[in-house]
Amino acid sequence: MSVHNHSGSLLQRNADDGVSISRATSVSRRSTMSRNQALIKKNTTPHDLRPSDVLLERFTAWKVITKQLISYFEGIADIENNTAKELTKLGAVIQVPFKAGNQFLGEDGLQDVYYNIRDKTRIIADHHANLGKTIEGSIVQHLQKLHFEIKAHIKNVQNDTGKLATSVAREREMSTKGISDLARAISAYKNTPMSITPKEDPYCQNQIVLKQLQKQVNEENALQKSIIIMQQNSAHFEEGIVRSLQSAWQTFDEWQSRMSISVQDTWRTLGHNFAALAPDREWIAFAARSDHLLDPDTPLRNPEHIEYPSKEDPSVVPVHVGMLERKRRFTRAYKEAYFVLTPAGYLHEYASADPVKQDGPIFSLFLPACTLGPPSSATTAKSHKFHVEDKKDASGLQKTGVFNKRGGHAFTFRARSHEELMEWWNDLRMLVARYLVASESAERSGPIAAAVRSAGYISEDEDDEEDEGSSIEEEEDMDEYDMPNDTVITRAHDDAEAVPAYSHPSRDTGIEIGPNGYAVSHFLQCTLLISCLAQFCARQCVISL
């Protein structure tokens, strides 16, 4: 641009000098400047000698974006090729025929479906591989060829316009030199007109400048025509670039759509094959050829129908079963449970009557080591109960409490009715060491009864009225040591012996006797009296039995 501006300034100075030489000639030249010259000045003056740089920048940008699209399709090709490899590996996961082939049908079964999965997966892999090859062999190569053509076009622009621009620059330098020589000749003509040579004649120098300017303009016009032609060629070439890119994408779209349709059809075929398999086909075939499956109509086994040795042995059949209420003789609260009387002589207590829920007895009483009390009266007693006392730790309970001081425990059992009471009592009577029976009711008299009454103890019938709904501990109930007067001790397995006669205690026993023949009703004396008389009577009764 500096050279062009410089040549313009020289031309302007030459025009100014022409005004001084021949004003008429300069005026005619300015008046004849046409619109075309103004257009030429407008299009050439503001620009550099290399206007092709704009085209070079544009097609360099086209080269970059074409390279990007090439990389894009190369990436798609890599993805398709990798997908094909992974699907091929995935198809190898399905191993048919099955190793456990005897478990499934050889044909028209699940194995056929798995064969289709393996084969169709390989077909899908081939579709992806073919698309990758198409992209690499067709689309990418086409874009690479386009990329090479763009580079060639850039080179052509550089070569064609570059030479002309160089020539224009050289001619402009020559024009500048000629104008400078003309200015020196005119100066010499004005200062020393007698010493100028023919070559220094301003006329001759002006002819040289005109000739050089004509040559310069011809070169500039040639450059301008070349640039215009290059612009037109570049426009057509750019259209070709766009069409090539569109063609590449259209080719990819067609192949990718074709591949996608094929892959979708293959997946759909696999789905239809899987759905066509009846869910019970394999099982029906397996059940038909297997000899170890159970018949669904086979009845379930009943434990009651199982026969085993000693199942009907008399020792395993219970003597009596049912619900009873039990309590210790020190408490008033009864607890109902399920009891079983066995031929072995045990009275077992269970938490439930259901055999399935019976883990084991929660209470057991060995009756051959126990004494069975008399049953309550059906007419006078308000509850249906009887007492059992063991003397040899028959219950298996921990030896604590009052009874252990005397070597045993006492329990009271209550039934729901008198008939049920008698059934239990009669069965228990056959297994206990001894049992007590109630004789006819008689008026209790004598020193023991008087001592008991004076001490404030209640009778058996009075105790029945207070059994319900209370958990307050009471005094010891009746046992073999403090039995009522209407009770007779009976051994279950020995012959009865004569009962010795009862004798009053002598005065040397230490018991204070009142004037009426009974013990004095002092609390301490009554307690000692009851204890001594009870032990004495118990020994006499045992001896008599």
Side-chain angles (χ1 to χ4, degrees), residues 10 166 171 309 531:
L10 291 176
T166 302
E171 295 298 330
S531 176

Side-chain angles (χ1 to χ4, degrees), residues 157-391:
V157 172
Q158 290 175 342
N159 293 333
D160 293 343
T161 60
K163 292 180 179 180
L164 291 174
T166 302
S167 178
V168 169
R170 184 174 60 251
E171 295 298 330
R172 286 181 177 180
E173 289 179 359
M174 295 297 294
S175 298
T176 302
K177 183 177 179 298
I179 293 172
S180 298
D181 292 340
L182 178 60
R184 284 194 298 270
I186 293 174
S187 178
Y189 166 72
K190 291 180 178 181
N191 296 322
T192 58
M194 300 304 293
S195 60
I196 61 173
T197 62
K199 292 183 178 179
E200 294 177 351
D201 189 356
Y203 176 80
C204 294
Q205 290 294 327
N206 187 45
Q207 293 297 319
I208 295 173
V209 170
L210 292 176
K211 185 178 179 180
Q212 179 60 36
L213 290 176
Q214 183 65 35
K215 188 177 180 180
Q216 174 186 339
V217 170
N218 291 336
E219 291 295 332
E220 289 177 349
N221 291 336
L223 176 61
Q224 180 179 348
K225 291 178 181 179
S226 176
I227 292 174
I228 293 173
I229 294 173
M230 187 60 66
Q231 289 177 355
Q232 294 174 352
N233 293 337
S234 297
H236 293 296
F237 184 72
E238 183 170 317
E239 292 178 2
I241 293 175
V242 175
R243 290 192 181 95
S244 297
L245 297 180
Q246 291 175 342
S247 176
W249 191 269
Q250 184 178 2
T251 302
F252 167 72
D253 185 50
E254 291 176 357
W255 279 89
Q256 197 274 339
S257 299
R258 191 181 308 167
M259 186 273 294
S260 298
I261 293 173
S262 300
V263 170
Q264 291 298 325
D265 291 340
T266 306
W267 288 120
R268 193 176 297 108
T269 302
L270 287 177
H272 291 330
N273 292 338
F274 230 131
L277 180 64
D280 58 347
R281 179 173 179 77
E282 288 287 348
W283 177 259
I284 293 175
F286 171 69
R289 65 177 180 267
S290 178
D291 298 332
H292 302 287
L293 295 179
L294 297 179
D295 189 351
D297 297 331
T298 303
L300 299 178
R301 300 187 67 186
N302 190 343
E304 296 179 357
H305 299 160
I306 298 177
E307 298 295 334
Y308 55 90
S310 304
K311 178 182 178 181
E312 302 297 336
D313 191 86
S315 62
V316 302
V317 180
V319 177
H320 195 101
V321 295
M323 303 298 294
L324 283 176
E325 293 180 303
R326 178 181 68 87
K327 76 175 183 68
R328 285 180 176 272
R329 296 186 64 184
F330 276 137
T331 62
R332 294 181 181 274
Y334 283 94
K335 179 182 178 182
E336 188 177 40
Y338 181 75
F339 285 86
V340 176
L341 180 61
T342 66
Y346 273 99
L347 180 63
H348 296 298
E349 177 184 344
Y350 293 91
S352 174
D354 188 1
V356 178
K357 299 180 180 179
Q358 294 178 359
D359 295 334
I362 59 177
F363 171 80
S364 296
L365 196 61
F366 188 58
L367 297 175
C370 296
T371 300
L372 175 65
S376 61
S377 173
T379 57
T380 60
K382 293 185 178 181
S383 61
H384 316 288
K385 62 182 181 178
F386 59 87
H387 305 287
V388 176
E389 182 176 353
D390 69 279
K391 294 300 180 182

Side-chain angles (χ1 to χ4, degrees), residues 73-94:
F73 281 109
E74 287 177 345
I76 293 179
D78 291 338
I79 291 173
E80 296 297 332
N81 292 329
N82 292 332
T83 303
K85 293 179 182 179
E86 294 300 326
L87 286 174
T88 302
K89 295 178 182 179
L90 189 62
V93 174
I94 305 298

